[in-house]
């Protein structure tokens, strides 16, 4: 169990929809300081928020942020990019670009901050698409990230770091701005994730679609992928 009260939190991708909610709700729950990191940090109207440059694809940038924010107790690995074209219609270079941010970037952040997180927590923002491969390279990246989180949870347990893997479906942020679908409110998703963190959970299924898909993983594949039944 990790409390946000008096915590020092670092959020990657803090300028984005979920990232900004992670920053604001950490403060609402009593965090002492929040490092709001981004490739190009914005200004914030709160002295408890410290803007910090952090490009997750750049090892030097991650290392510099880890040195500048050595007092961090909770890291939210939130930064990510989309890229859901079918695998046969996109280049391997484009898939690698998605992995560079969503997989290797998140791993780079976790490794750099791990020594600071003894007795603290790492929150990794996956997706329901970690479990259902409807979005090409993006799904693959979130599946890989999910697996990395599961490994890190075991590796960080001896130093008392809680590792929370978060799964969520469509949420109303810049990433989904072009999609005409029902979307969750980022504030609700972040509240569910922080509730799980503070309850000591390993994993959070932040919405109904994530709960449904997770529950369906033990069924035959054609149940999860109806297109297979008619193929
Ligand atoms: N929205 C959804 O429906 C949904 C569903 C499931 C999971 N997620 C996940 O939720 C997380 C947050 O996404 P969001 O929905 O809030 O989308 P968003 O508004 O596009 O925010 C993504 C953030 O990631 C940052 N970012 C991208 N590449 C980066 C890099 N190399 N270094 C540092 N920051 C980088 C972006 O920064 P810039 O401003 O510099 O581009 C942006 O602030 C992502 O991991 C996403 O995959 C979202």
């Amino acid at each position: 169990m990790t409390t946000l009260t008096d915590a020092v939190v670092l959020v990657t991708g803090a300028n984005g929809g979920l990232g900004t909610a992670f920053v604001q709700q950490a403060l609402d729950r009593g965090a002492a300081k929040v490092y709001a990191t981004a490739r190009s940090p914005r200004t914030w109207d709160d002295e408890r928020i410290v803007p910090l440059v952090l490009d997750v694809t750049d090892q030097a940038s991650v290392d510099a942020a880890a040195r500048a924010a050595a007092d961090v107790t909770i890291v939210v690995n939130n930064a990510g990019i989309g890229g859901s074209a079918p695998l046969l219609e996109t280049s391997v270079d484009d898939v690698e670009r998605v992995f560079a941010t969503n997989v290797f970037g998140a791993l780079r952040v976790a490794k750099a901050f791990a020594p600071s997180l003894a007795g603290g927590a790492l929150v990794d923002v996956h997706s329901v698409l970690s479990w259902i491969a409807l979005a090409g390279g993006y799904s693959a990246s979130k599946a890989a990230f999910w697996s990395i989180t599961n490994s890190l949870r075991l590796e960080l347990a001896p130093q008392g770091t809680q590792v929370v893997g978060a799964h969520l479906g469509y949420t109303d942020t810049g990433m989904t701005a072009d999609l005409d679908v029902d979307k969750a409110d980022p504030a609700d998703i972040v509240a569910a994730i922080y509730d799980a963190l503070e309850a000591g959970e390993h994993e959070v299924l932040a919405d109904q679609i994530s709960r449904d898909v997770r529950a369906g993983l033990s069924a035959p594949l054609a149940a999860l992928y109806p297109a297979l039944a008619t193929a």
Side-chain angles (χ1 to χ4, degrees):
M1 180 194 303
T2 308
T3 179
L4 280 153
T5 305
D6 296 329
V8 178
V9 181
L10 182 141
V11 179
T12 67
N15 291 356
L18 283 155
T20 298
F22 276 118
V23 171
Q24 290 169 339
Q25 291 190 29
L27 294 174
D28 294 345
R29 291 175 183 241
K33 187 198 288 187
V34 181
Y35 291 101
T37 77
R39 290 182 284 194
S40 301
R42 50 166 280 199
T43 56
W44 298 81
D45 193 16
D46 189 315
E47 62 186 17
R48 296 170 297 173
I49 302 176
V50 180
L52 189 64
V53 174
L54 198 169
D55 179 342
V56 302
T57 63
D58 178 347
Q59 187 66 51
S61 171
V62 174
D63 290 342
R67 284 193 299 274
D71 55 345
V72 159
T73 60
I74 298 172
V75 166
V76 182
N77 235 337
N78 166 73
I81 60 173
S84 59
L87 289 171
L88 295 180
E89 295 171 20
T90 193
S91 67
V92 172
D93 285 350
D94 276 348
V95 176
E96 284 187 352
R97 190 176 55 82
V98 174
F99 269 62
T101 301
N102 295 1
V103 181
F104 303 119
L107 176 59
R108 199 173 272 125
V109 168
K111 286 170 70 69
F113 284 93
S116 299
L117 299 182
L122 173 68
V123 178
D124 283 348
V125 181
H126 311 141
S127 169
V128 67
L129 292 167
S130 308
W131 293 324
I132 184 161
L134 299 178
Y138 180 82
S139 287
S141 75
K142 291 296 185 176
F145 186 19
W146 171 51
S147 181
I148 283 171
T149 299
N150 290 336
S151 294
L152 290 174
R153 185 177 296 111
L154 296 174
E155 294 183 30
L156 289 170
Q159 69 170 40
T161 303
Q162 181 187 355
V163 177
V164 181
H167 296 264
L168 52 138
Y170 288 129
T171 305
D172 194 6
T173 69
M175 190 175 281
T176 59
D178 295 337
L179 299 179
D180 184 18
V181 294
D182 287 342
K183 302 170 197 172
D185 184 334
D188 294 338
I189 297 295
V190 169
I193 294 171
Y194 278 156
D195 282 348
L197 171 72
E198 295 201 290
E201 304 288 347
H202 297 309
E203 181 172 86
V204 52
L205 313 180
D207 52 18
Q208 192 58 43
I209 185 71
S210 299
R211 290 187 282 275
D212 290 346
V213 171
R214 177 77 148 90
L217 287 178
S218 59
L221 272 186
L224 201 55
Y225 299 97
L228 291 178
T230 54

